[in-house]
Amino acid sequence: MKNDESVFVRKSARPLLLMLGLFIFLSSIFAQKKEAFFADCGRVWDLAKFNIVSEEDLKREGGLSVEEALRTLLRVQGAGSAWQSAKEWYLIKELAPLDKKFTEEEKTFLLSLFYAVKRPLLTKKELFSLSLNAPLTEYDALKYVTRFIGNTYSCIDKPEEIGFTEQGQTYARAFDRKLILSKGEENASKPILRKDFYILLASAMNTKVSFGGDLTVEATYFSFFENKAEKIYMQEKKDLVHTGSLYAKPKFNDDFSLSWNVKKRLLDDDNTFTEITSYSADGRKLASETMCGIRTSYSCKNMVMLIINSGKERKIEYASYLVLTISRYNSDWSESWEETARFDLSDVKIVQDLKMMNPGALKTFDGQWVPKTISLKSGVFKKEAFYLLHSYGHRYRKDEFNRDSFALFTVADDTSEFKNSKHESLFCGGLDTEDTHILEVMIDGDAKNGFVLHVSPESKEAFEEK
């Protein structure tokens, strides 16, 4: 009997022991989450340290709005994520019903959220039900924060979390990433307290996130701020120190290219940029190009593109002077400076004495904007001339954002048809093929005696697209 009782006791004890072991295991996991959670609470004041929020914000009571939370998250991602203007909004046809719902500044802000450099936080569909002034709920906070540190497979992919359709998916992911202590959704629709949102954000910023595509790096957002890497995005031009003019003035070469000297020490510097900008006689900016590194010359083709610009209402406007700017940032992006030089174009005369051209057809590669061939109805392209294509892209719902684009080409021999090949190619930064017109430019003279640019009026007719 004793033996039978012993067996019975042992058999009865096994489930109890298993349950006890499971309880201890789950308690251990919960304790680890709790420990990690409260450790992140201590990093909340780092939000003020890195100017993500102010110390006054950290001390404020109550809740916060959806807009406040989204702007805070965007500041963490860096000013490099911020959109420059609202014009892209007017390219997205499905957003037309929202044109009057948001201000221009709000549209720019919202563009930043779904075109974010690191991880988009909003979908276009969500904009239709979005209320920026609404109180931020617990579910809203978890939804945006899990996307903020979400799973992506390259530096520009959307996070997996942005595709979640069920509330429970967000809570499960937040629990797995140790952002919350339980998966309970009972407070999902209730406004979250400001202090709780900041604790959540600090916890997210202290979570390892994968950055990059092929060369993936795991790091925390806090580590980016601590290493000052984010200053790459946060540097603004107003912080530049103006140190005077360049070492030597720019000068024309006989082939109509521009060159200049710079101080030798600059050639070895990293984090440098060269910008050249054209201006009208009354000081209005016409066109510009920014190049990485220190440059000491600007090609003839570049010069033709920069000097001959298009004004409003289809009137060609020519540049009166150029400004050359060289900028440099310290390796830690904490300081910066720029040097500038103005270059008058008084030795360049522009005479509109060539015959207006008669456009023919413009054929493109399948599914691409790049022209394959460009032909004329009459006349020929001359090998000693430059041909500037000017496209009017009326694609925006708001007229003020309608943009022009340009391309320049030359031909190897006189011909009535330009072929885009290794011998003859377009020189441009992106040409829209709709409503494309053409003008001809021929250059006489040299650096010593000055230059004359012979220009045709821009064609009244546009190329036929095929």
Side-chain angles (χ1 to χ4, degrees):
M1 179 67 70
K2 280 186 179 181
N3 290 338
D4 292 339
E5 288 178 354
S6 300
V7 171
F8 176 77
V9 170
R10 286 198 298 270
K11 286 182 178 178
S12 301
R14 282 173 188 167
L16 293 173
L17 289 171
L18 287 172
M19 290 178 66
L20 180 61
L22 181 60
F23 175 77
I24 293 171
F25 173 74
L26 292 176
S27 297
S28 173
I29 294 296
F30 184 81
Q32 289 176 20
K33 287 181 178 291
K34 190 172 182 180
E35 183 181 345
F37 181 82
F38 286 109
D40 291 331
C41 292
R43 299 221 63 173
V44 168
W45 287 96
D46 284 339
L47 300 178
K49 174 183 174 182
F50 296 119
N51 296 318
I52 296 164
V53 298
S54 67
E55 289 190 11
E56 289 71 24
D57 285 331
L58 293 178
K59 296 173 184 176
R60 286 170 64 187
E61 299 293 332
L64 70 167
S65 68
V66 169
E67 181 175 2
E68 283 183 275
L70 289 173
R71 287 189 184 276
T72 301
L73 290 169
L74 191 63
R75 279 196 291 275
V76 180
Q77 292 224 44
S81 300
W83 223 242
Q84 300 302 310
S85 77
K87 74 176 185 178
E88 295 299 318
W89 178 280
Y90 298 96
L91 277 177
I92 306 171
K93 293 180 180 178
E94 62 263 35
L95 296 184
L98 299 178
D99 284 354
K100 293 182 179 180
K101 179 179 178 180
F102 299 108
T103 66
E104 295 300 296
E105 192 279 332
E106 287 171 342
K107 290 171 189 173
T108 301
F109 164 58
L110 293 171
L111 283 169
S112 301
L113 293 172
F114 58 79
Y115 286 135
V117 170
K118 293 191 178 72
R119 284 167 173 75
L121 300 180
L122 278 178
T123 65
K124 295 169 189 173
K125 184 179 179 180
E126 287 173 334
L127 293 178
F128 285 87
S129 58
L130 182 70
S131 175
L132 291 173
N133 295 323
L136 182 75
T137 66
E138 181 182 90
Y139 172 54
D140 287 334
L142 292 176
K143 179 173 63 176
Y144 299 137
V145 170
T146 53
R147 292 173 181 180
F148 169 70
I149 59 170
N151 294 329
T152 64
Y153 302 98
S154 81
C155 57
I156 58 173
D157 280 350
K158 292 181 179 179
E160 179 186 34
E161 291 79 1
I162 207 166
F164 287 172
T165 56
E166 302 295 330
Q167 183 174 287
Q169 292 175 290
T170 295
Y171 272 82
R173 184 55 52 87
F175 181 76
D176 290 340
R177 298 304 295 270
K178 300 180 182 178
L179 299 179
I180 53 177
L181 296 177
S182 75
K183 298 180 184 179
E185 301 174 32
E186 58 274 8
N187 295 319
S189 60
K190 295 180 180 178
I192 188 173
L193 292 176
R194 181 182 293 272
K195 62 179 182 180
D196 291 335
F197 173 73
Y198 292 146
I199 290 172
L200 177 65
L201 178 57
S203 181
M205 288 184 64
N206 207 27
T207 300
K208 282 192 175 180
V209 181
S210 295
F211 294 94
D214 296 333
L215 300 175
T216 301
V217 176
E218 274 205 345
T220 68
Y221 278 99
F222 272 132
S223 69
F224 272 90
F225 279 86
E226 285 159 351
N227 294 330
K228 298 185 179 179
E230 287 296 327
K231 289 200 174 182
I232 294 173
Y233 301 105
M234 294 182 173
Q235 191 71 37
E236 296 181 5
K237 195 152 189 173
K238 67 182 182 183
D239 297 326
L240 290 171
V241 177
H242 295 266
T243 59
S245 60
L246 288 165
Y247 177 70
K249 292 182 179 180
K251 63 177 182 178
F252 267 123
N253 302 309
D254 287 339
D255 65 349
F256 198 62
S257 65
L258 194 66
S259 62
W260 55 88
N261 295 326
V262 296
K263 299 170 184 177
K264 186 178 179 181
R265 65 175 177 81
L266 298 182
L267 298 176
D268 300 323
D269 282 349
D270 296 325
N271 306 328
T272 51
F273 302 89
T274 304
E275 181 181 54
I276 189 163
T277 307
S278 62
Y279 290 87
S280 63
D282 60 358
R284 286 180 296 107
K285 181 178 177 179
L286 298 175
S288 68
E289 182 178 3
T290 302
M291 301 156 282
C292 291
I294 298 289
R295 304 299 179 92
T296 56
S297 63
Y298 204 60
S299 72
C300 174
K301 284 186 175 182
N302 281 107
M303 290 298 294
V304 173
M305 288 272 284
L306 200 66
I307 291 176
I308 299 177
N309 300 275
S310 173
K312 292 184 178 180
E313 299 176 356
R314 298 179 181 263
K315 293 180 180 178
I316 295 295
E317 186 169 12
Y318 308 121
S320 178
Y321 65 93
L322 309 176
V323 172
L324 173 66
T325 305
I326 293 180
S327 308
R328 179 186 180 276
Y329 297 87
N330 283 359
S331 57
D332 65 354
W333 301 85
S334 60
E335 295 179 6
S336 53
W337 55 253
E338 71 175 20
E339 296 184 355
T340 60
R342 174 171 164 151
F343 183 68
D344 260 336
L345 297 176
S346 52
D347 289 336
V348 179
K349 295 182 180 179
I350 301 174
V351 183
Q352 198 176 89
D353 58 356
L354 300 181
K355 186 178 178 181
M356 182 183 293
M357 303 189 72
N358 195 6
L362 186 151
K363 295 181 182 179
T364 60
F365 293 101
D366 292 340
Q368 298 182 33
W369 61 265
V370 181
K372 184 176 182 181
T373 61
I374 302 171
S375 61
L376 297 173
K377 286 182 182 177
S378 60
V380 296
F381 298 121
K382 308 180 190 77
K383 65 179 182 181
E384 65 270 20
F386 294 90
Y387 296 94
L388 184 66
L389 299 176
H390 180 191
S391 175
Y392 298 87
H394 296 284
R395 305 193 306 163
Y396 294 87
R397 297 194 302 279
K398 205 166 188 181
D399 288 344
E400 66 185 75
F401 294 125
N402 287 340
R403 64 181 181 190
D404 301 342
S405 60
F406 299 89
L408 190 78
F409 69 90
T410 56
V411 293
D413 295 294
D414 292 1
T415 178
S416 61
E417 184 179 72
F418 163 84
K419 296 179 180 179
N420 205 351
S421 68
K422 64 180 180 180
H423 301 295
E424 301 168 352
S425 60
L426 283 173
F427 173 79
C428 63
L431 178 77
D432 297 319
T433 53
E434 56 184 320
D435 197 10
T436 303
H437 301 249
I438 189 170
L439 60 88
E440 185 178 50
V441 182
M442 299 187 72
I443 302 173
D444 284 336
D446 53 38
K448 182 179 180 181
N449 300 304
F451 295 92
V452 177
L453 270 58
H454 302 276
V455 182
S456 70
E458 184 175 278
S459 64
K460 290 183 179 178
E461 290 186 35
F463 282 94
E464 178 185 359
E465 289 187 67
K466 290 188 177 181

